[in-house]
Amino acid sequence: QVSRGLRTPRLPVWLCGLAGRHSVLFGTDSRLLSHWRAERVFQLYLYSGRWQQGRTARLTVDTHSHHWEEEQREDPGSPGRRRPAVEMAIRTKWAGATVSWNGTDPFF
C-alpha cells in the first residue's frame, strides 16, 4: 500500500528524464500544489546528481511574462535561441513561462 505522503506530496516534486539523464525538479513552496495565485513567479530547484553540477540550480519561473519581453535579437531557429530541455519540460505544465537560471549556466 502506498503511503499517504507519496499519493499527496506536501511539496511539488517532478522526476524528469531529460536528454537521457534523470533529475529532480522541485519547489519549496507548498502553495504551488493548491493555490493558483502562487503560480505567478516562483522558484524551482533542479538537481541532476551529475558530478559536474556543483550545487542545486535555482530557477525562477514567471508564468505571466509576455513573448515580447524576451530578447528579439536572434532568429528563433538559430542555435542561440534553443532552450534547454528542462525549460521545455517546465513549459509542459506552464505554457509560455519564462525561466531564469539566475546566473547558472544551463546544463541540459
Side-chain angles (χ1 to χ4, degrees):
Q1 185 174 9
V2 176
S3 87
R4 183 172 174 237
L6 290 175
R7 290 184 303 215
T8 309
R10 292 189 178 138
L11 295 171
V13 176
W14 295 274
L15 299 176
C16 304
L18 303 168
R21 299 186 179 191
H22 293 90
S23 60
V24 177
L25 185 65
F26 62 95
T28 57
D29 186 357
S30 62
R31 294 179 307 148
L32 281 175
L33 296 171
S34 61
H35 199 281
W36 63 270
R37 287 188 180 167
E39 293 183 358
R40 169 69 171 90
V41 176
F42 54 92
Q43 307 290 316
L44 292 179
Y45 299 87
L46 178 67
Y47 181 72
S48 69
R50 296 172 52 193
W51 65 269
Q52 298 98 335
Q53 184 181 1
R55 60 188 171 98
T56 302
R58 182 177 55 92
L59 310 175
T60 301
V61 180
D62 184 352
T63 61
H64 287 72
S65 61
H66 302 287
H67 67 279
W68 58 81
E69 293 174 349
E70 291 188 39
E71 292 185 38
Q72 299 290 327
R73 67 174 187 247
E74 297 181 47
D75 177 46
S78 73
R81 295 285 292 183
R82 292 186 185 153
R83 303 287 183 212
V86 70
E87 288 185 29
M88 301 309 291
I90 289 170
R91 288 182 180 150
T92 63
K93 169 91 173 126
W94 296 284
T98 58
V99 178
S100 170
W101 285 74
N102 300 307
T104 303
D105 291 329
F107 48 87
F108 277 103

